Amino acid sequence: NRAEWGLLAGLALIWGAAFFFIKVAVTHVEPLTYVWLRLTIAAGGLWLFLRWRGEKLGLPWSIWGAILVLSLLNNVIPFALFGWGQQQIASGLAAILNSTTPIWGVLVAHLFTADEKISPAKLLGVVIGFFGVATMIGPDLLGSNGNLLAQLACLTAALCYALAGVWARRFKKLGVTPIKVATSQLIAGTLVMAPVALLVD
């Protein structure tokens, strides 16, 4: 319906525009430091939002290992890859490469879930999506001067997002709310990236 299309358009605008701001950020800040700052600000914001709602994070220690894996797949690795990649390629190209996430998602879900196997319609969607992305990239797919490596980094980041989507399914069964999953993974990412950014950058 119209409301759902409006939400989808809003999400596309927010997600797509993020790549412009990433390009601005990594022009002035080293990529790993940018990732740490991004995670720190986001973690603080969501933690304050939880407190405003009168909730506590209160997650058992037993699931923090799974939270850490989610943080690596959904935040740390893709943010770092996009940050590094966008030092060499345009933000628009990075956004297009990121649009392969649902294509990867269909393939990853087929391999690692029991209830989301690929169907002929999904396979057709993957093929059309692949050729659509390839068409939008055009000659840039064969870019030189390190551009190809940067593009592969962005594609790997998109694959990480797809893997994270499947990995995150476990938290629903554990009864962890999405807001707590988001907050905890950002906190974990902040703690991981702090020493990395300090040592490397």
Side-chain angles (χ1 to χ4, degrees):
N1 57 42
R2 289 183 180 179
E4 290 167 340
W5 277 109
L7 288 170
L8 185 61
L11 179 60
L13 179 63
I14 293 168
W15 202 355
F19 292 90
F20 166 76
F21 293 109
I22 293 171
K23 184 72 172 181
V24 173
V26 296
T27 301
H28 301 283
V29 182
E30 290 295 324
L32 297 180
T33 301
Y34 138 76
V35 174
W36 175 72
L37 288 169
R38 181 178 180 181
L39 291 172
T40 301
I41 294 167
L46 281 183
W47 183 80
L48 288 172
F49 179 69
L50 269 180
R51 299 296 295 176
W52 177 75
R53 290 176 55 170
E55 299 181 36
K56 292 182 179 180
L57 200 55
L59 298 181
W61 284 107
S62 59
I63 71 168
W64 276 95
I67 290 289
L68 177 60
V69 173
L70 181 62
S71 180
L72 292 173
L73 291 174
N74 208 35
N75 302 123
V76 173
I77 296 173
F79 287 6
L81 289 174
F82 274 121
W84 176 80
Q86 285 191 240
Q87 287 188 314
Q88 303 173 64
I89 63 174
S91 57
L93 178 55
I96 292 170
L97 292 169
N98 182 64
S99 71
T100 61
T101 298
I103 299 172
W104 291 119
V106 172
L107 300 175
V108 167
H110 175 75
L111 291 173
F112 297 108
T113 69
D115 58 343
E116 288 192 43
K117 296 301 181 183
I118 201 164
S119 64
K122 288 181 179 179
L123 182 60
L124 178 62
V126 167
V127 173
I128 293 172
F130 173 79
F131 281 107
V133 170
T135 300
M136 292 181 74
I137 294 172
D140 283 338
L141 185 62
L142 301 175
S144 57
N145 300 322
N147 285 354
L148 184 58
L149 191 59
Q151 292 172 37
L152 289 174
C154 293
L155 284 172
T156 303
L159 173 59
C160 285
Y161 285 140
L163 291 167
V166 171
W167 184 262
R169 287 164 52 119
R170 69 191 62 234
F171 297 106
K172 184 176 181 180
K173 295 178 181 177
L174 295 171
V176 184
T177 62
I179 186 68
K180 290 186 178 182
V181 172
T183 305
S184 59
Q185 71 174 309
L186 290 167
I187 291 172
T190 299
L191 296 175
V192 168
M193 284 306 301
V196 174
L198 284 169
L199 288 171
V200 177
D201 290 344

